[in-house]
Amino acid sequence: MQAKVGDRLVVESHSDSQHRREAEVVEVRGHDGAPPYLVRWADGHESLAFPGPDAHVVPAGS
């Protein structure tokens, strides 16, 4: 997985009790666009993300 600042990190839900989550990548801390990513969630909360197999990156502007 590779991302750059401004891309969106999308975490898909695999259960009815949880929803798909999206965050903006605000910093890439891995080498050559690799995780971890500092992300900002829709509620304004920022966290360090280590995306799993249920996540993908949507390029900025898509």
Side-chain angles (χ1 to χ4, degrees):
M1 176 178 296
Q2 293 186 320
K4 35 187 207 297
V5 172
D7 288 350
R8 311 265 328 147
L9 178 66
V10 178
V11 181
E12 299 292 348
S13 172
H14 294 287
S15 74
D16 292 338
S17 63
Q18 295 181 348
H19 300 287
R20 174 183 183 175
R21 296 186 68 202
E22 293 189 30
E24 177 185 1
V25 177
V26 295
E27 185 179 334
V28 176
R29 295 192 177 176
H31 182 68
D32 290 333
Y37 307 125
L38 181 64
V39 298
R40 183 177 302 120
W41 301 99
D43 66 0
H45 176 79
E46 292 186 0
S47 64
L48 195 58
F50 295 83
D54 58 344
H56 63 276
V57 172
V58 176
S62 292

